[in-house]
């Protein structure tokens, strides 16, 4: 019996970890790599993801995208322009995705030939960071307009990232963004993680991002962050701790 809020939280996260581990194994057997995209609202991740999906479609790579929001299907409509299969997931107020939600859509919707499933998580750098979705690659994105100290303000999100993507780099000058300070802050919370710079407007970084994703799909080891999800207090037998099997 759980006697405190902390114990309830640990139990919820442990249950999610068990479901995520099973989902990861199932997807691996199907040859599907899941990419979990985390960011604040307004980071530009939908636009960048649309560019990546379109490039993958051009190259004949079987990709799909699941996009989560509290309301509206606007992002799904935007991403569908890429030509890739896209599904909207409405969370009805929940501020993050959980493994059980992803499993339901994988079972009911994911096209059979898919080799990479991009999951655009709810715009939020707090709650989503605690939930393993069974992903092969966790990417945290932020725009230069958000300020170079964001990694220090959200150390759990940035500390669990296997790749960091800086977006809207064309606005770095007007925003007065200090790239050196940003790089220092990222490495402070997540030593060794790669920072990829991008601009959806110009297409900069689109190909590089797709190549990073495909490398992990094809078996390349992903960066092991210091805050990769670990087993919680009430662990499930057989549950895996990490983001990468």
């Amino acid at each position: 019996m759980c006697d405190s809020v902390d114990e309830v939280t640990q139990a919820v996260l442990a249950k999610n970890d068990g479901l995520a581990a099973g989902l990861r194994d199932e997807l691996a057997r199907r040859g599907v790599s899941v990419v979990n995209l985390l960011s604040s609202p307004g980071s530009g991740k939908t636009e960048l993801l649309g560019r990546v999906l379109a490039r993958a479609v051009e190259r004949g790579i079987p990709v799909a995208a699941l996009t989560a929001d509290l309301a509206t299907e606007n992002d799904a409509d935007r991403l569908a322009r890429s030509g890739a299969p896209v599904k909207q997931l409405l969370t009805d107020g929940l501020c993050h995705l959980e493994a059980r939600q992803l499993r339901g859509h994988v079972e009911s919707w994911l096209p059979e030939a898919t080799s990479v499933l991009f999951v655009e998580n709810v715009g939020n750098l707090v709650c989503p960071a605690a939930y393993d979705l069974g992903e092969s690659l966790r990417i945290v994105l932020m725009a230069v307009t958000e300020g170079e100290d964001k990694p220090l303000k959200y150390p759990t999100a940035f500390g669990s990232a296997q790749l960091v993507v800086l977006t809207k780099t064309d606005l770095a000058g007007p925003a007065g963004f200090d790239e050196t300070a940003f790089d220092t802050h990222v490495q402070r919370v997540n030593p060794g993680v790669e920072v990829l710079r991008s601009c959806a407007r110009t297409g900069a970084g689109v190909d590089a991002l797709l190549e990073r994703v495909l490398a992990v799909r094809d078996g390349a080891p992903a960066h092991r962050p210091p805050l990769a999800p670990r087993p919680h207090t009430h662990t499930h037998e057989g549950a895996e701790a990490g983001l990468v099997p």
Side-chain angles (χ1 to χ4, degrees), residues 119-236:
V119 178
E120 184 181 16
N121 218 312
V122 180
N124 180 352
L125 282 177
V126 182
C127 301
Y131 286 83
D132 183 0
L133 298 182
E135 64 259 37
S136 303
L137 183 65
R138 176 176 291 199
I139 301 176
V140 172
L141 306 90
M142 67 157 277
V144 298
T145 50
E146 297 179 67
E148 58 274 351
D149 61 343
K150 195 117 189 190
L152 301 181
K153 292 180 176 180
Y154 297 91
T156 301
F158 283 89
S160 67
Q162 293 167 297
L163 176 66
V164 173
V165 176
L166 186 64
T167 65
K168 302 183 182 182
T169 54
D170 57 322
L171 299 178
F177 185 75
D178 187 335
E179 293 195 33
T180 300
F182 169 72
D183 289 337
T184 298
H185 297 331
V186 170
Q187 295 304 316
R188 177 177 171 182
V189 299
N190 194 342
V193 70
E194 179 185 6
V195 177
L196 192 156
R197 285 154 167 77
S198 70
C199 175
R201 187 179 65 83
T202 65
V206 170
D207 288 309
L209 178 53
L210 180 57
E211 289 304 322
R212 301 298 188 280
V213 169
L214 295 179
V216 171
R217 180 202 64 175
D218 295 337
H223 169 69
R224 182 71 182 182
L227 295 183
R230 298 290 194 271
H232 298 277
T233 303
H234 304 284
T235 56
H236 287 208

Side-chain angles (χ1 to χ4, degrees), residues 62-142:
V63 297
L66 182 67
T67 181
D69 272 308
L70 277 67
T72 81
E73 297 194 1
N74 294 348
D75 285 355
D77 292 340
R78 291 170 62 190
L79 293 176
R81 298 171 193 157
S82 67
V86 176
K87 178 75 171 178
Q88 181 75 52
L89 194 162
L90 297 180
T91 66
D92 295 322
L94 193 65
C95 64
H96 59 275
L97 284 180
E98 297 180 7
R100 60 179 176 80
Q101 296 167 302
L102 183 59
R103 175 181 286 282
H105 283 75
V106 165
E107 293 174 346
S108 65
W109 166 77
L110 188 65
E112 189 65 31
T114 304
S115 68
V116 178
L117 172 62
F118 291 90
V119 178
E120 184 181 16
N121 218 312
V122 180
N124 180 352
L125 282 177
V126 182
C127 301
Y131 286 83
D132 183 0
L133 298 182
E135 64 259 37
S136 303
L137 183 65
R138 176 176 291 199
I139 301 176
V140 172
L141 306 90
M142 67 157 277

